[in-house]
């Protein structure tokens, strides 16, 4: 008789047809592909798109206590600087470390100091995590603009958090506050929560 069942013959035909269809589809996709447009050159720092930010300092609290690195197990200056850099809004693109390059010498200078820090160990169970800041923006030909800022985190819903991850959330929000303020720096501004 026929030797092979109908199903076997159909499977044999499909095994030949399917790879041919896949190859044809790939060839069609490749032939319709145009060369990628050239990427724009990377931006360079200028006075209009940059902010110079010296090292964030530890200041004095309202009670007259001098803060230091010993009071900061979570390295708030590093996370705050990164938070500002990550959240800059146009026209700003760069946070520069002094000295600024020659092509950005006239960029505004943002000086920030930590004026209070509460980050007891124990994560969520160690109590609130609070960071207070004072900042000054110096621009050529204009009066300095200042701000104070505070953010805190006490209750967190979800998985338990470590102390430094909670402080990181606080500094990230402060970075957002500062990035927004840089767009329209009003003197004596109060940022964050008060």
């Amino acid at each position: 008789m026929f030797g092979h069942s109908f199903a076997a013959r159909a499977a044999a035909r499909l095994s030949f047809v399917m790879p041919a269809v896949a190859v044809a589809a790939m060839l069609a996709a490749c032939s319709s592909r145009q060369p990628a447009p050239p990427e724009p050159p990377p931006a360079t720092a200028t006075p209009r798109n940059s902010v110079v930010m010296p090292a964030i300092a530890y200041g004095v609290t309202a009670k007259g206590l001098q803060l230091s690195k010993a009071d900061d197990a979570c390295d708030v200056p590093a996370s705050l600087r990164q938070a500002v850099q990550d959240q800059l809004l146009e026209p700003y693109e760069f946070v520069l470390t002094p000295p600024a390059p020659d092509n950005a010498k006239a960029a505004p200078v943002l000086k920030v100091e930590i004026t209070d820090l509460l980050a007891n160990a124990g994560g969520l169970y160690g109590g609130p995590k609070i960071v207070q800041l004072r900042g000054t923006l110096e621009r050529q030909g204009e009066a300095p603009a200042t701000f104070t800022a505070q953010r805190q985190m006490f209750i967190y819903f979800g998985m338990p958090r470590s102390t430094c991850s909670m402080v990181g959330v606080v500094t990230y929000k402060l970075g957002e506050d500062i990035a927004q303020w840089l767009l329209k720096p009003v003197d004596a501004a109060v940022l964050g929560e008060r």
Side-chain angles (χ1 to χ4, degrees):
M1 297 211 131
F2 292 105
H4 296 299
S5 72
F6 175 74
R9 286 191 313 252
R13 284 186 187 143
L14 283 177
S15 68
F16 174 74
V17 171
M18 290 307 285
V21 169
V23 168
M26 286 191 324
L27 288 175
C30 290
S31 68
S32 66
R33 190 163 188 200
Q34 300 296 319
E39 290 194 24
T44 57
T46 68
R48 294 181 52 83
N49 70 0
S50 304
V51 175
V52 176
M53 191 172 180
I56 295 170
Y58 293 101
V60 178
T61 68
K63 294 181 180 179
L65 301 172
Q66 174 65 51
L67 295 172
S68 70
K69 176 68 180 145
D71 301 309
D72 180 13
C74 300
D75 198 3
V76 169
S79 66
L80 181 62
R81 180 184 184 85
Q82 187 63 51
V84 172
Q85 172 70 58
D86 290 349
Q87 299 180 81
L88 284 177
L89 300 166
E90 286 187 23
Y92 296 110
E93 296 181 54
F94 301 99
V95 171
L96 306 174
T97 302
D102 289 339
N103 54 330
K105 286 277 188 215
V109 177
L110 176 63
K111 296 178 180 177
V112 178
E113 68 177 354
I114 301 165
T115 56
D116 209 348
L117 176 62
L118 179 60
N120 295 328
L124 182 62
Y125 307 106
K129 312 306 178 228
I130 302 171
V131 178
Q132 290 179 352
L133 307 171
R134 180 175 38 245
T136 304
L137 183 66
E138 299 170 352
R139 298 165 288 176
Q140 288 187 351
E142 296 185 44
T146 62
F147 71 83
T148 56
Q150 175 179 308
R151 287 275 180 179
Q152 65 181 335
M153 184 176 199
F154 182 65
I155 297 174
Y156 179 79
F157 297 102
M159 295 295 292
R161 305 282 291 226
S162 70
T163 297
C164 289
S165 68
M166 291 176 72
V167 170
V169 170
V170 171
T171 58
Y172 192 80
K173 291 299 288 179
L174 285 166
E176 181 180 4
D177 296 335
I178 293 169
Q180 287 284 337
W181 178 77
L182 283 170
L183 295 178
K184 200 172 204 175
V186 175
D187 190 33
V190 177
L191 311 179
E193 311 158 333
R194 286 293 171 152

